[in-house]
Amino acid sequence: MATAGKVIKCKAAVCWGPKQPLSIEEIEVAPPKAHEVRIKIVATGVCRSDDHVISGALSEVKFPVILGHEAAGIVESVGEGVTNLKPGDKVIPLFVPQCGKCRCCVNPHSNLCYKNDIGKYNGLLLDNTSRFTCKGKSIHNFISTSTFTEYTVVDDIAVAKIHKDAPLDKVCLIGCGFSTGYGSAVNTAKVKPGSTCAVFGLGGVGLSVIIGCKVAGASRIIGVDLNSDKFAKAKELGATECINPKDFNRPIHEVLAEMTDDGVDYAFEVIGNTGVMTSALSSSHFGCGKTVIVGLAPSSATMTFDPLLILTGRVLTGAVFGGWKSKDDVPKLVSDYLDKKFEFDGLITHKLPFEKINEGFELLRNGESIRTVLSF
Ligand code: CND
Ligand code: ZN
Ligand code: ZN
């Protein structure tokens, strides 16, 4: 491409600091260095994790930063040593990279590559620099991806090539929301046919947990949310019942225990609220229930609970990106989507031009949207 090797000037949404709207700016994106890939982002989704940074809940994230981690795009150019990607390839950036060599990557039961930037939030590529500048200032990356920009640069272990026929404005959700929820059910919980599940939080990620529970053959899937407006879509996607904690004057785990002969087989927390995490744990069966934490809690939050809850046999676990080994599994998820093994188009409730990104976040905050997909 004509732009290869050159600095690209383009539009991006810069987060200059917490508690302020994102600012659409012209930025400069330097060419990829060795083992890096420059991508033209075509579509990017608005996920709650990005909003956690804007709200100040993830206080370790360094500013200024370009957020966004759920996207699909096209390779513009590659740095030296990148052999498996070429300009024009369709790709999905990976917020959990897969180096293939570290202790987690070589363990079939883990997907959290040592090269990830979640929780550490260094906000830099692997060579400890950034390719973004704006108004003479260097701008940080966000969890190996930074997709709220027309062009981004990622390390080659943080990008997967996908099928050439993939519709980018849909499969961008495979970059986070869909895969995270779906994998939490099928990989992390390993939901069994005929089982009973409770899903706390019916946003894009929680609804994807429901899709996973249904595909796995669960016989009862109970959605729990403070916003009853979320129930219709949850039922459309596979929830068999939905309950609102506001409609009861006793703890929701007691309600669920009554509904399910002493507790569910699988409980999922998909909000990021440590109080709800304990409720989810308490809702699972005392002898054989499994609870999966999917929600991202604020930086300083801690979870406390009576250890007797797990002494009797409950299992508590969690997963980032639904337990998928990103570079290996994302291309397969895209192919499975193209082969109609599952469907998630119903998660996309809004489509907006990139410039309206702040409107996309407003729709998420006021509970109107499930996923807004922004396009350039
Ligand atoms: P979204 O905000 O769309 O959904 C959350 C839902 O929870 C909403 O429907 C709320 O009404 C509901 N809710 C809020 N508080 C309560 C409560 N106390 N009781 C019951 N319901 C409540 O968020 P999302 O679906 O985009 O993301 C959900 C979480 O998943 C969020 O914490 C996000 O940061 C996290 C996440 C995790 C991962 C991962 O890899 N583990 C990846 N992406 C996002
Ligand atoms: Zn690794
Ligand atoms: Zn996300």
Side-chain angles (χ1 to χ4, degrees):
M1 299 217 177
T3 46
K6 296 183 186 146
V7 170
I8 292 179
K9 285 190 182 188
C10 69
K11 246 181 321 193
V14 177
C15 185
W16 291 103
K19 301 190 175 79
Q20 44 183 299
L22 302 180
S23 175
I24 303 286
E25 310 273 6
E26 185 181 80
I27 65 159
E28 294 91 45
V29 183
K33 293 191 184 173
H35 290 286
E36 294 175 358
V37 180
R38 190 158 60 181
I39 303 165
K40 178 167 180 27
I41 299 293
V42 173
T44 180
V46 174
C47 174
R48 181 62 75 169
S49 301
D50 303 301
D51 193 43
H52 288 330
V53 180
I54 301 172
S55 74
L58 297 181
S59 52
E60 298 95 341
V61 172
K62 296 186 187 74
F63 295 95
V65 59
I66 294 175
L67 299 171
H69 63 285
E70 177 182 275
I74 294 172
V75 173
E76 175 269 340
S77 64
V78 300
E80 246 174 78
V82 178
T83 51
N84 55 350
L85 286 170
K86 57 179 188 316
D89 284 347
K90 287 185 177 175
V91 289
I92 288 182
L94 308 169
F95 74 91
V96 179
Q98 187 186 351
C99 77
K101 294 177 188 149
C102 72
R103 183 164 167 189
C104 290
C105 281
V106 299
N107 184 329
H109 303 296
S110 173
N111 75 325
L112 201 78
C113 178
Y114 273 51
K115 306 279 188 191
N116 85 82
D117 198 30
I118 299 161
K120 305 188 276 279
Y121 304 116
N122 290 325
L124 299 168
L125 295 175
L126 290 176
D127 83 335
N128 278 318
T129 63
S130 159
R131 301 291 156 268
F132 301 131
T133 46
C134 178
K135 296 179 177 159
K137 282 205 178 82
S138 178
I139 310 289
H140 285 97
N141 286 73
F142 181 56
I143 51 173
S144 315
T145 44
S146 290
T147 62
F148 293 159
T149 167
E150 261 182 293
Y151 288 88
T152 190
V153 176
V154 300
D155 292 294
D156 65 354
I157 60 167
V159 54
K161 180 176 169 171
I162 59 169
H163 198 285
K164 63 175 182 16
D165 297 336
L168 300 181
D169 59 342
K170 304 258 172 31
V171 300
C172 56
L173 265 59
I174 289 176
C176 180
F178 172 72
S179 307
T180 298
Y182 181 73
S184 298
V186 303
N187 295 327
T188 314
K190 296 196 168 51
V191 169
K192 293 200 173 52
S195 61
T196 304
C197 306
V199 181
F200 292 75
L202 304 175
V205 185
L207 293 174
S208 301
V209 172
I210 289 179
I211 297 173
C213 293
K214 187 178 175 187
V215 168
S219 59
R220 282 180 81 187
I221 305 169
I222 307 169
V224 184
D225 204 295
L226 290 175
N227 179 355
S228 302
D229 293 347
K230 305 272 174 157
F231 294 174
K233 181 131 280 178
K235 287 181 180 162
E236 212 178 282
L237 294 170
T240 55
E241 298 132 272
C242 287
I243 54 175
N244 188 332
K246 285 185 193 160
D247 295 339
F248 301 90
N249 52 16
R250 58 190 196 286
I252 203 69
H253 70 267
E254 288 182 21
V255 175
L256 282 160
E258 275 164 35
M259 290 169 71
T260 61
D261 187 19
D262 295 332
V264 296
D265 296 306
Y266 305 97
F268 299 87
E269 200 280 354
V270 207
I271 300 161
N273 176 315
T274 54
V276 180
M277 291 174 189
T278 309
S279 293
L281 178 63
S282 308
S283 310
S284 67
H285 187 270
F286 60 85
C288 54
K290 189 168 190 177
T291 300
V292 179
I293 291 177
V294 186
L296 187 57
S299 298
S300 55
T302 53
M303 188 182 169
T304 50
F305 59 87
D306 180 346
L308 194 63
L309 279 176
I310 52 175
L311 194 72
T312 59
R314 288 181 177 93
V315 172
L316 177 62
T317 187
V320 167
F321 197 49
W324 300 107
K325 284 201 181 273
S326 59
K327 200 149 174 135
D328 292 346
D329 291 334
V330 161
K332 292 182 200 158
L333 285 163
V334 170
S335 298
D336 286 352
Y337 171 77
L338 292 173
D339 293 342
K340 300 201 174 356
K341 291 200 180 145
F342 45 71
E343 231 207 281
F344 56 77
D345 296 10
L347 301 176
I348 302 170
T349 52
H350 295 75
K351 291 187 171 202
L352 289 175
F354 179 69
E355 290 79 0
K356 296 198 171 168
I357 187 165
N358 288 309
E359 208 174 292
F361 278 101
E362 269 318 306
L363 290 164
L364 180 73
R365 289 174 198 135
N366 66 25
E368 268 181 71
S369 64
I370 297 299
R371 273 300 194 261
T372 297
V373 170
L374 307 164
S375 42
F376 287 89

